[in-house]
């Protein structure tokens, strides 16, 4: 396939759906598939894919939206940094609206804090060079997908010896939250739609543990509608062929046009140099997970905001009304949250899932998937 229209071809979609319907008839029970990545969530809702699937296949949402999994305490830490004298805090646009316990970075900016959104951490480094009398701090978030760009920026800061730049690292790794879910928490998941962007860095091999240790099949997928439908068909084939019953789950690579089994070894080597794995890190919805966060290594300590400044590091409970944690672990659908679409909207978000375009709540809200809300209210 060469053009994006080919990945959205209605005739091909109908063929895939027919295949899925035939496979679903062979299932001996309903199955629950978790799309890990927020990008997949966006595609599923935008194109109404969940409504095209048989009722025996339930798509639930995973902890793969980088904005969504940031706990409120880390947002408060970023706000604390923004309020320090002579500090310019930079971050990606989505993080500007994530609520802290009292305000968001956007509201702090309205009060007079110098908070700026950037498209790349390298933009932050340029701001530091242009403002030598200020300390520029990049509020870094994301899984292995975005971590290499932060690593490149830190190596550039070291090479150019830029003293007034640092990074507040909130980068996380994909295996620990999936391991926590597969271990049997609040959600029993039968298979996973694997995150294509993360896999470009870590490779499909990074998900082998789900198949080998938990007998959970994985299809690493692209982000177009046909990608996801084909991924669902791949997962169902493992159930209908008897592989799952025989304990022979596998990881399949639907996104082979981009992803390799070994991933990107150069990027992996750079991450190993620039970052160390933290003993523990807090996640929204999953609590504190061991070995799940990425701290800046000793070699780059000079550019580590947490070492340079005495960041409070407080842990803050989410608002009682917010059920983002349950959405992120597939325990509930967004419309089942009591404040969804009323007190909590993209304009007035209470939780992170309503902020990011990749958040399940924002996707539900923006693309009008209210049919199940209506059905639920009438039943």
């Amino acid at each position: 396939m060469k053009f994006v229209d080919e990945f959205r071809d209605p005739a091909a979609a109908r063929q895939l759906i027919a295949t899925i319907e035939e496979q679903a008839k062979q299932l001996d029970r309903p199955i629950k598939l978790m799309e890990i990545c927020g990008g997949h969530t966006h595609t599923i809702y935008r194109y109404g894919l969940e409504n095209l699937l048989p009722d025996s296949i339930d798509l639930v949402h995973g902890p793969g939206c980088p904005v969504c999994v940031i706990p409120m305490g880390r947002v408060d830490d970023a706000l604390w940094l923004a309020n320090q004298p002579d500090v310019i805090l930079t971050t990606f646009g989505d993080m500007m609206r994530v609520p802290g316990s009292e305000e968001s970075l956007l509201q702090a900016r309205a009060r007079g804090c110098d908070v700026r959104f950037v498209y790349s951490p390298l933009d932050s480094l340029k701001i530091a060079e242009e403002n030598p009398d200020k300390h520029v701090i990049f509020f870094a978030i994301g899984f292995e997908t975005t971590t290499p760009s932060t690593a490149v920026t830190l190596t550039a800061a070291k090479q150019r010896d830029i003293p007034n730049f640092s990074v507040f690292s909130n980068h996380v790794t994909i295996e620990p939250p999936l391991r926590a879910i597969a271990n049997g928490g609040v959600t029993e998941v039968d298979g996973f739609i694997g995150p294509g962007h993360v896999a470009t860095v870590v490779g499909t091999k990074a998900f082998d543990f789900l198949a080998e240790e938990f007998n959970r099949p994985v299809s690493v997928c692209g982000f177009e509608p046909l990608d996801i439908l084909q991924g669902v068909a791949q997962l169902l084939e493992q159930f209908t062929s008897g592989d799952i019953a025989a304990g022979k789950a596998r990881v399949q690579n639907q996104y082979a046009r981009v992803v390799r089994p070994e991933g990107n070894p150069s990027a992996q080597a750079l991450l190993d140099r620039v970052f160390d794995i933290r003993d523990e890190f807090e996640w929204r919805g999953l609590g504190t997970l061991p070995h799940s966060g990425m701290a800046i290594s000793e070699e780059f300590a000079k550019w580590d905001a947490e070492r340079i400044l005495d960041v409070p590091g407080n842990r803050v409970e989410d608002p009682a009304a917010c059920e983002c944690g349950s959405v992120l672990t597939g325990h509930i659908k967004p419309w089942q949250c009591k404040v969804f679409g009323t007190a909590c909207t993209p304009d007035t978000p209470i939780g992170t899932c309503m902020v990011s375009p990749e958040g399940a709540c924002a996707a539900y809200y923006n693309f009008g998937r209210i049919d199940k809300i209506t059905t639920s209210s009438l039943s």
Side-chain angles (χ1 to χ4, degrees):
M1 293 187 179
K2 298 180 180 179
F3 305 106
V4 70
D5 287 350
E6 298 179 66
F7 295 95
R8 302 174 186 176
D9 177 59
R14 283 191 289 268
Q15 290 178 350
L16 279 169
I17 292 166
T19 297
I20 291 169
E21 289 174 344
E22 287 301 314
Q23 292 172 317
K25 292 176 183 177
Q26 302 175 51
L27 296 173
D28 57 6
R29 61 177 177 84
I31 63 170
K32 188 172 290 186
L33 305 178
M34 174 175 280
E35 82 270 2
I36 297 168
C37 183
H40 288 142
T41 302
H42 177 93
T43 298
I44 288 166
Y45 293 147
R46 179 180 181 184
Y47 295 96
L49 299 186
E50 65 168 5
N51 292 339
L52 300 177
L53 298 177
D55 290 340
S56 57
I57 302 168
D58 187 21
L59 298 182
V60 298
H61 328 299
C65 166
V67 172
C68 302
V69 300
I70 294 293
M72 191 171 285
R74 299 295 284 188
V75 178
D76 278 2
D77 287 342
L79 285 159
W80 182 87
L81 289 170
N83 278 280
Q84 299 311 297
D86 299 321
V87 162
I88 300 173
L89 186 78
T90 64
T91 191
F92 297 134
D94 289 351
M95 286 306 304
M96 298 284 284
R97 298 192 302 114
V98 173
S101 58
E102 296 182 1
E103 63 179 353
S104 66
L105 288 170
L106 193 61
Q107 290 168 320
R109 176 177 173 171
R111 282 195 299 100
C113 293
D114 196 345
V115 181
R116 309 180 190 184
F117 74 85
V118 292
Y119 294 103
S120 163
L122 286 169
D123 294 338
S124 302
L125 199 60
K126 182 178 179 181
I127 293 171
E129 291 179 303
E130 294 171 346
N131 296 270
D133 58 332
K134 302 286 186 179
H135 182 185
V136 177
I137 303 173
F138 176 62
F139 180 14
I141 67 162
F143 290 89
E144 290 93 341
T145 311
T146 57
T147 311
S149 63
T150 302
V152 167
T153 302
L154 283 165
T155 58
K158 181 180 180 181
Q159 290 169 356
R160 285 140 65 175
D161 194 22
I162 300 176
N164 62 319
F165 173 78
S166 65
V167 170
F168 177 44
S169 176
N170 291 270
H171 286 299
V172 290
T173 58
I174 195 64
E175 180 178 335
L178 299 183
R179 186 175 287 278
I181 290 171
N183 267 331
V186 295
T187 308
E188 180 65 24
V189 177
D190 297 295
F192 293 88
I193 298 172
H197 289 155
V198 170
T200 61
V201 176
V202 301
T204 58
K205 63 181 177 59
F207 305 98
D208 286 347
F209 74 96
L210 289 168
E212 295 170 357
E213 298 179 35
F214 301 100
N215 196 35
R216 296 293 187 271
V218 181
S219 175
V220 174
C221 289
F223 295 87
E224 292 297 329
L226 296 189
D227 288 329
I228 295 174
L229 290 175
Q230 186 177 30
V232 171
Q234 286 183 342
L235 292 171
L236 289 180
E237 189 274 333
Q238 294 198 49
F239 285 93
T240 59
S241 67
D243 287 347
I244 303 302
K248 297 179 179 179
R250 353 185 262 287
V251 177
Q252 294 174 274
N253 186 6
Q254 186 279 331
Y255 205 24
R257 63 185 187 272
V258 174
V259 172
R260 300 291 178 267
E262 69 280 6
N264 186 328
S266 297
Q268 293 167 23
L270 179 62
L271 298 188
D272 289 343
R273 175 190 171 196
V274 176
F275 293 97
D276 291 329
I277 299 298
R278 300 177 187 264
D279 291 337
E280 62 179 26
F281 193 76
E282 184 184 1
W283 293 63
R284 191 177 295 249
L286 288 165
T288 299
L289 297 179
H291 313 303
S292 62
M294 303 182 78
I296 296 171
S297 69
E298 185 66 33
E299 180 183 349
F300 296 89
K302 183 178 176 180
W303 295 274
D304 183 354
E306 290 184 86
R307 301 192 204 204
I308 297 170
L309 299 165
D310 190 17
V311 179
N314 294 325
R315 292 183 176 175
V316 181
E317 292 288 334
D318 288 338
C322 176
E323 296 188 74
C324 275
S326 295
V327 172
L328 287 168
T329 53
H331 184 49
I332 66 171
K333 297 293 181 74
W335 53 269
Q336 293 174 303
C337 176
K338 294 178 181 179
V339 295
F340 171 80
T342 54
C344 186
T345 70
D347 291 330
T348 58
I350 293 176
T352 53
C353 294
M354 192 61 91
V355 176
S356 170
E358 293 189 353
C361 295
Y364 251 94
Y365 188 94
N366 290 330
F367 297 114
R369 301 295 165 201
I370 61 172
D371 49 332
K372 292 189 177 181
I373 302 174
T374 304
T375 301
S376 177
S377 65
L378 294 176
S379 60

